[in-house]
């Protein structure tokens, strides 16, 4: 029988291989490797679950297994693992990480109930300078950038679909419903947020659309240029 340490190491190796496969564009292989990684990490988490004296290893294994479960889309199992990890006596830092993970799982479940799936592509927006203090930013400066990002997304989507350029007015319904823009909770210091672009699971993409194409990269490049100064 393999030891807890050996199973954990194998799980981490499989997770690294899954990440490499994703970078290479082989999403099916990445998904299969992630599932294997989760199964390998789930076993040692189970073995150590009742040993409350095994902290912080116990909490670390449950955090890792819950993260892999979430990445695999097994949200209910991820919830159970987080709850089990918190039920012990984890160090404060790991307990906070488990709570943050639980919040992420709840957000994904909310999207699942709405029929929305998030792409892995994301980008960061950080505001600094005189209009920013620790954890706060002038609303006009922040809202203006969010609106600009939404406009850029819809305009790029229109062009990719071969539609005429729209200088003003409301975005067409079929374009607007093809993508949704989400924001993370702002982080302190530079008041940074993460933008993530989601597409409805049952949505039939418009002709010319490919969520895995260069549309996200193009938006990121435009945002980088617009916010560079």
């Amino acid at each position: 029988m393999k030891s807890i340490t050996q199973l954990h190491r194998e799980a981490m190796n499989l997770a690294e291989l899954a990440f490499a496969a994703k970078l290479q564009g082989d999403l099916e292989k990445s998904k299969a490797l992630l599932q294997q990684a989760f199964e390998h990490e789930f076993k040692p988490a189970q073995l150590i679950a009742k040993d409350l004296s095994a902290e912080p290893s116990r909490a670390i294994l449950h955090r890792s297994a819950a993260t892999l479960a979430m990445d695999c889309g097994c949200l209910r199992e991820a919830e159970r693992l987080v709850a089990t990890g918190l039920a012990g006596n984890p160090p404060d830092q790991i307990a906070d990480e488990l709570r943050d993970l639980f919040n992420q799982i709840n957000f994904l479940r909310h999207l699942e109930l709405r029929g929305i799936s998030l792409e892995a592509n994301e980008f960061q927006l950080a505001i600094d300078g005189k209009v920013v203090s620790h954890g706060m930013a002038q609303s006009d400066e922040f809202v203006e950038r969010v609106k600009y990002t939404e406009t850029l997304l819809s305009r790029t989507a229109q062009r990719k679909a071969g539609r005429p350029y729209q200088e003003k007015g409301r975005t067409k319904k079929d374009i607007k419903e093809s993508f949704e823009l989400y924001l993370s909770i702002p982080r302190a210091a530079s008041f940074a947020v993460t933008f993530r672009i989601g597409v409805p699971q049952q949505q039939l993409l418009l002709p010319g659309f490919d969520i895995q194409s260069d549309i996200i990269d193009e938006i990121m490049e435009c945002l980088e240029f617009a916010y560079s100064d």
Side-chain angles (χ1 to χ4, degrees):
M1 182 176 178
K2 294 181 180 179
S3 68
I4 289 176
T5 300
Q6 186 176 3
L7 287 167
H8 173 66
R9 287 175 178 172
E10 290 180 358
M12 294 301 96
N13 288 335
L14 287 165
E16 289 180 5
L17 291 173
F19 180 71
K22 185 177 181 179
L23 290 178
Q24 295 169 1
D26 194 339
L27 300 182
E28 288 299 320
K29 181 178 180 180
S30 176
K31 184 178 180 180
L33 287 168
L34 267 180
Q35 183 64 38
Q36 293 178 46
F38 166 58
E39 292 170 359
H40 275 69
E41 194 75 327
F42 182 70
K43 292 177 182 177
Q46 279 190 313
L47 290 172
I48 204 173
K50 295 183 180 180
D51 188 358
L52 300 182
S53 66
E55 301 290 9
S57 297
R58 179 184 178 280
I60 291 172
L61 282 171
H62 280 81
R63 179 195 60 190
S64 178
T67 299
L68 290 169
M70 180 182 68
D71 291 342
C72 290
C74 303
L75 301 183
R76 185 69 186 100
E77 195 59 59
E79 287 178 334
R80 292 192 184 100
L81 286 162
V82 170
T84 302
L86 286 171
N89 188 30
D92 291 342
Q93 181 179 348
I94 299 176
D96 287 340
E97 291 173 359
L98 284 165
R99 295 185 189 99
D100 288 342
L101 183 58
F102 189 70
N103 289 334
Q104 293 178 47
I105 295 167
N106 281 338
F107 176 63
L108 292 176
R109 181 174 292 282
H110 166 73
L111 296 180
E112 185 178 68
L113 291 173
R114 291 190 59 204
I116 300 292
S117 62
L118 285 177
E119 295 300 308
N121 306 75
E122 60 184 28
F123 49 94
Q124 308 287 331
L125 170 64
I127 303 176
D128 56 18
K130 295 180 179 180
V131 299
V132 178
S133 61
H134 189 79
M136 298 188 70
Q138 186 178 26
S139 62
D140 289 348
E141 294 291 335
F142 178 68
V143 171
E144 179 183 351
R145 284 162 173 75
V146 174
K147 288 182 177 179
Y148 177 82
T149 303
E150 291 175 334
T151 300
L152 182 60
L153 174 61
S154 63
R155 297 293 187 268
T156 304
Q158 286 175 322
R159 185 172 58 77
K160 288 290 184 179
R163 302 292 182 82
Y165 179 75
Q166 182 180 349
E167 293 188 6
K168 57 183 179 179
R170 293 185 177 182
T171 303
K172 300 298 183 182
K173 184 178 180 181
D174 55 350
I175 294 287
K176 189 173 182 180
E177 292 181 350
S178 296
F179 297 98
E180 290 194 32
L181 188 65
Y182 292 86
L183 294 177
S184 70
I185 298 174
R187 293 174 292 281
S190 62
F191 200 81
V193 295
T194 298
F195 284 97
R196 301 188 72 183
I197 298 176
V199 56
Q201 293 173 345
Q202 304 301 322
Q203 177 74 31
L204 294 177
L205 295 182
L206 298 169
F209 272 65
D210 181 0
I211 194 61
Q212 299 299 333
S213 72
D214 61 353
I215 184 171
I216 307 268
D217 291 335
E218 183 172 336
I219 291 173
M220 292 181 187
E221 290 176 4
C222 291
L223 288 171
E224 183 178 359
F225 176 77
Y227 299 150
S228 60
D229 57 356

